[in-house]
Amino acid sequence: MILTEERLQDLLDKSLAGLPPGTEWAVTLEGSIAEGFGNPSSDIDFLLVGRDGDDLPTMPTLLFVDGRRVELRTRSVHQLAEQLRAVEREAGRPGRLSEDLLNRCQRVLHSHPLRGHALVEEVKALLPAERFRRIAADWWAHRARQSLRHATALLCLGESDEAADWTGAALVQSVKSWAAGLGETYLEPKWLSMQLDRAGRTDVRDRYWALESAAVPPGDAAAARARLTDCLDFAEELGLTDVPRRPERLTVARVPRVTTWQTGERVHVVRDGRDVFALGEDAASVWRSLVLGRSLPRVLADGAATGVTDPGPLLAAFLRYGLVRLAWKGGGTVTPALPLAAPPGPVTPPPSTEQPLLSVRGAAVTGSRAVDLLPLPADRFAAAAMALVWSNVVVENAVEDLTGALQRGQRRVAELTARRAVHAALRGLFSAHGVNPLPADTDLVRRMDLLPAANGPIGVRARELLGRSVESAQDGDALRAELRRFIALVRAAVGADSFPLSFESASTWRATLRLGHDWLRLGAHLGAELPIEEARDLLTANGAQPHQAP
């Protein structure tokens, strides 16, 4: 230790003076100073152990005593015993063993008693040092294997820079496993150099530093592969078993609650019933080629067979976003993790900035290889898309009603029907931008400020049309022509310019039903509100009219 026993006792007395009186504590020094590491800037970590069974606060108290930073933590004997037993319970499943739990127990087991020595030693005896060494070594070995398997997969996928980073992580984890088996169980990697010096194997130490300092130039796949091979060799020399020499043992597997929905040519992937990813043309081709359960090299070959150039980075994106997972035959899911870092898990990228978000044929994407996250939750995405389709049906119905009213000279009916068509078109415009629930029809024009400025001309035209009156047959014909131009302008803005003329013929109505059915299935799956209750019948009839055979 870098502090004398006398100095530690003095710091402890001054620290305890600020606590409420009346509690007798056993006290042990833990952390880097207790390990024999540390420096003048290191915290003084005192653990205060209480005899009673009540749970004590886990948050430390931070003090500044005689120019030193002191942390006081409190635990009851019961709490410490539970932590140590939990480590023993999970020993056979190192992938489930919490890093924080392992770290807490390591600090206690390697701590230096200052007061109440008998109680501290009684706690330590609950998990013998030799047993803990094996648990810690297995924990690091598990992480090393996961990192090596992940690095192997990334090389297959053409992500050499990322593979080199994970190879470096595996190198640290491999040597930490070896050192833990010799009693160097302190988790924090920053003291690794001192741990290796203390382990007394200069050959291992020197080999580690040679590998650690071997730089891989960016984009150099050959160098990344060579470094991975060197690290695999080193890991085996240190006793690590089941290292990934055969990438064929990596398989691409399904992730629970990931579903695929296709509307027209657009493929949407829904993650966890909440996040919607829209795939560009190339990304969709690779996604459709996936046969889950096949080996990673085979899946890559299948992706290349679609004609997509370099499918590896697209598969890497699917993996990164948690749309698929990697498994190791006989070894479960590959879950790489770094020590003292963010927990592993799927990445959520920034939402797409494409505007509008939706068209009747599917979500907008930024490019052919895009895997874009939509900036609204899945149920709102589905509800907005259904509202977009339904608004266009209403537009078509209103135009047909307007035509009939003008033929009969029903001028007031024509005016109200035209306004209905304008409002329906605006509902489609707002829905295409992901607005859901929608403003009231009477408020739509005033709420155009919610949409991008590019939609300003549409708002101007809408105001004009809503103020139009029909005083003559010529006014009616002009209104209908202006309305058709307005509808075309809106549909061009939202990707609905090919929307069927729903009420023109039986075939165009069937096309409308097919289009609506695609979105209704997704909306019903996600529990989104349907645009009209009658739409449920379209689902029941599998896209056909309810009184006709599909």
Side-chain angles (χ1 to χ4, degrees):
M1 291 186 293
I2 63 173
L3 294 174
T4 65
E5 185 82 13
E6 182 181 5
R7 175 67 171 143
L8 285 169
Q9 293 289 351
D10 180 59
L11 286 168
L12 177 59
D13 285 337
K14 292 175 178 176
S15 300
L16 293 177
L19 297 185
T23 302
E24 289 190 12
W25 303 99
V27 183
T28 188
L29 174 73
E30 59 179 20
S32 58
I33 293 178
E35 293 279 348
F37 308 138
N39 55 54
S41 295
S42 297
D43 291 345
I44 312 295
D45 296 308
F46 292 133
L47 178 65
L48 281 56
V49 182
R51 289 183 176 276
D52 59 45
D54 294 336
D55 285 352
L56 298 171
T58 57
M59 180 179 175
T61 295
L62 184 63
L63 306 173
F64 295 88
V65 181
D66 290 351
R68 297 300 299 249
R69 192 168 61 248
V70 176
E71 283 195 9
L72 296 180
R73 286 182 173 81
T74 57
R75 296 289 189 279
S76 68
V77 170
H78 169 74
Q79 285 172 301
L80 292 174
E82 278 300 304
Q83 288 179 338
L84 292 166
R85 291 187 189 112
V87 166
E88 181 66 79
R89 282 196 303 271
E90 298 293 346
R93 297 177 290 184
R96 296 181 55 176
L97 183 53
S98 157
E99 176 183 316
D100 182 68
L101 177 63
L102 192 68
N103 185 46
R104 288 284 138 220
C105 291
Q106 194 281 333
R107 291 167 68 92
V108 171
L109 294 173
H110 277 231
S111 66
H112 174 74
L114 295 172
R115 297 183 186 177
H117 291 57
L119 183 58
V120 173
E121 295 302 334
E122 177 186 322
V123 169
K124 288 185 178 186
L126 295 172
L127 185 57
E130 283 297 325
R131 176 62 178 150
F132 185 78
R133 288 182 184 186
R134 189 67 265 148
I135 292 172
D138 290 346
W139 185 83
W140 280 112
H142 172 80
R143 293 201 160 199
R145 289 188 196 96
Q146 299 298 307
S147 295
L148 288 167
R149 292 167 184 172
H150 191 57
T152 300
L154 289 167
L155 272 177
C156 288
L157 296 171
E159 301 285 339
S160 60
D161 292 346
E162 195 174 348
D165 290 339
W166 280 104
T167 299
L171 177 63
V172 172
Q173 292 161 340
S174 297
V175 81
K176 286 284 281 184
S177 173
W178 171 82
L182 299 177
E184 294 290 346
T185 55
Y186 195 67
L187 262 69
E188 172 59 77
K190 71 182 178 183
W191 303 112
L192 179 56
S193 61
M194 299 177 72
Q195 288 180 300
L196 292 180
D197 288 344
R198 214 158 57 177
R201 284 281 301 274
T202 56
D203 57 331
V204 172
R205 180 197 64 191
D206 294 346
R207 176 68 172 143
Y208 169 79
W209 289 115
L211 288 170
E212 196 276 337
S213 61
V216 175
D220 192 335
R225 190 173 302 279
R227 187 173 190 233
L228 176 59
T229 299
D230 289 343
C231 288
L232 288 168
D233 292 342
F234 182 56
E236 286 187 329
E237 291 165 12
L238 295 179
L240 192 69
T241 58
D242 203 17
V243 296
R245 298 288 187 177
R246 296 175 53 215
E248 294 79 12
R249 290 187 66 184
L250 287 163
T251 60
V252 178
R254 179 181 178 274
V255 173
R257 301 199 69 200
V258 169
T259 53
T260 304
W261 295 90
Q262 186 162 341
T263 304
E265 293 301 312
R266 178 71 67 237
V267 172
H268 308 92
V269 182
V270 182
R271 184 181 72 180
D272 200 29
R274 179 181 57 198
D275 300 318
V276 180
F277 291 83
L279 309 188
E281 182 180 350
D282 286 355
S285 294
V286 174
W287 181 262
R288 285 191 294 257
S289 76
L290 289 177
V291 178
L292 300 179
R294 284 185 174 173
S295 71
L296 179 60
R298 175 72 184 277
V299 168
L300 268 172
D302 292 342
T306 65
V308 174
T309 303
D310 198 14
L314 287 171
L315 283 166
F318 300 156
L319 175 64
R320 197 172 294 123
Y321 297 160
L323 308 183
V324 294
R325 63 185 175 90
L326 283 177
W328 184 258
K329 289 182 180 178
T333 300
V334 177
T335 52
L338 298 174
L340 304 178
V347 171
T348 298
S352 170
T353 57
E354 285 293 288
Q355 291 289 343
L357 296 171
L358 307 174
S359 78
V360 293
R361 300 296 178 186
V365 294
T366 54
S368 177
R369 297 178 68 86
V371 184
D372 289 337
L373 173 66
L374 299 193
L376 67 168
D379 57 344
R380 281 179 50 207
F381 159 72
M386 289 189 294
L388 172 60
V389 172
W390 180 243
S391 71
N392 279 280
V393 175
V394 174
V395 164
E396 288 301 308
N397 181 253
V399 170
E400 291 301 304
D401 287 348
L402 171 63
T403 301
L406 291 174
Q407 289 173 346
R408 289 296 183 92
Q410 298 166 338
R411 294 181 296 160
R412 297 295 174 254
V413 174
E415 289 172 0
L416 292 174
T417 305
R419 290 169 195 166
R420 180 169 176 251
V422 171
H423 285 142
L426 290 178
R427 289 202 297 270
L429 179 68
F430 277 80
S431 297
H433 286 85
V435 178
N436 189 274
L438 290 161
D441 280 3
T442 54
D443 206 27
L444 286 167
V445 170
R446 284 190 294 272
R447 295 283 76 82
M448 290 295 292
D449 58 350
L450 294 175
L451 305 183
N455 293 294
I458 293 177
V460 172
R461 298 279 290 277
R463 287 186 183 89
E464 293 173 353
L465 285 168
L466 290 171
R468 292 283 288 272
S469 60
V470 178
E471 302 297 338
S472 64
Q474 291 79 9
D475 288 344
D477 291 341
L479 175 60
R480 184 170 56 182
E482 283 295 320
L483 181 61
R484 268 301 183 193
R485 284 192 286 270
F486 172 75
I487 292 168
L489 180 66
V490 174
R491 284 180 169 173
V494 303
D497 41 359
S498 61
F499 195 85
L501 299 175
S502 307
F503 302 98
E504 186 179 69
S505 67
S507 63
T508 55
W509 181 239
R510 283 195 298 270
T512 302
L513 292 179
R514 284 195 299 270
L515 186 61
H517 183 249
D518 285 345
W519 287 114
L520 286 168
R521 287 176 57 243
L522 176 58
H525 175 74
L526 296 170
E529 184 176 351
L530 301 182
I532 56 171
E533 188 58 31
E534 287 89 337
R536 295 190 189 279
D537 294 333
L538 185 59
L539 285 171
T540 303
N542 198 30
Q545 297 188 83
H547 306 297
Q548 291 182 331

